[in-house]
Amino acid sequence: MDWNNDGKKDLIAGDTGGNVTLFLNIGTKEKPELAKGKPVEADGKPITQGSHKLAENYAWLHMGDWTGDGLKDLFVGHGSMTAFYKNIGNESSPRFAAPTLLPAAEGGFPTRPSAYVVDWDGDGKKDLLMGGDQPQIRFYRNIGTNTEPRLAKAEILELKGPGADAGYRWRQDVADWNSDGKTDLLVGNAYSRTTGATRGTGGNIWLFLGK
């Protein structure tokens, strides 16, 4: 994610306390070097549990232009809802308004939601992918416009692979993994082992190539 539009990838991270922290790349594009983290603010206050009416613990993050103005907005998923922070700054200096609730589509969003903005169906409008506690990725088609999105009822993506129907806390990222011009999907999850020497928590990462 290029926070300040300088052509270098930066890092934005959330944690279990609901904190949102920015690590700027002070190195180069080829050799990133991250500066000390600093809190991301909204409406003049650091984003953390209790700092705003909708700010809760846990923070699953994504930045994407949801309102069609060319600026990257911030989505923060919490336990049962997604807080939306509109970017009221500019491309090189993002600044966020106080959060509003991302309107849920018919059927609602999953628990522990993680939103991802992408034109998934190739119709020129930004849609929403969302993971959550269940072993699935949901696709919410934008049946509105790019400036006034409106989400249809979720469609569950058909993902086939060893173990790709289990675990919890599914998260997703979209990229052209193999540079073939097609949209690919990366999915990570967690799972628990409860017996013997395998006791503990682990996870998987899957790559689903676009056809």
Side-chain angles (χ1 to χ4, degrees):
M1 184 274 302
D2 185 355
W3 172 267
N4 52 4
N5 202 39
D6 64 354
K8 299 186 293 186
K9 296 294 185 184
D10 308 300
L11 178 66
I12 185 171
D15 63 24
T16 56
N19 301 293
V20 179
T21 306
L22 169 67
F23 300 87
L24 283 175
N25 181 4
I26 55 175
T28 65
K29 184 177 181 179
E30 294 75 20
K31 294 184 178 180
E33 179 185 349
L34 297 180
K36 182 179 179 180
K38 63 177 183 179
V40 175
E41 295 187 352
D43 197 29
K45 295 178 286 187
I47 301 174
T48 187
Q49 182 180 4
S51 62
H52 300 86
K53 185 177 181 180
L54 296 177
E56 299 178 353
N57 64 337
Y58 295 100
W60 291 282
L61 310 179
H62 178 64
M63 291 191 69
D65 179 10
W66 189 238
T67 58
D69 60 1
L71 301 177
K72 296 183 289 287
D73 306 304
L74 176 64
F75 297 77
V76 181
H78 296 295
S80 59
M81 60 85 182
T82 298
F84 172 70
Y85 295 82
K86 182 172 174 55
N87 186 352
I88 55 175
N90 55 54
E91 288 185 334
S92 58
S93 297
R95 185 166 59 91
F96 299 106
T100 58
L101 186 65
L102 182 67
E106 181 184 349
F109 292 145
T111 55
R112 301 183 189 271
S114 62
Y116 194 102
V117 179
V118 61
D119 179 8
W120 185 251
D121 57 4
D123 66 353
K125 296 186 295 185
K126 300 178 188 72
D127 309 301
L128 203 65
L129 296 183
M130 190 169 285
D133 261 358
Q134 295 175 298
Q136 57 187 216
I137 300 297
R138 302 185 186 194
F139 163 47
Y140 296 89
R141 190 186 309 275
N142 181 3
I143 55 176
T145 67
N146 267 334
T147 54
E148 295 184 1
R150 185 164 61 91
L151 300 177
K153 185 177 180 180
E155 303 173 33
I156 307 302
L157 298 185
E158 185 178 357
L159 304 176
K160 297 181 179 180
D165 57 356
Y168 59 98
R169 294 186 187 175
W170 278 41
R171 305 289 176 250
Q172 70 289 319
D173 200 351
V174 175
D176 182 358
W177 179 265
N178 52 0
S179 300
D180 65 352
K182 299 176 183 177
T183 300
D184 307 311
L185 181 67
L186 288 159
V187 176
N189 80 338
Y191 63 86
S192 295
R193 300 176 178 141
T194 57
T195 59
T198 61
R199 183 174 300 167
T201 301
N204 298 295
I205 297 177
W206 292 274
L207 168 64
F208 300 96
L209 293 175
K211 296 181 179 180

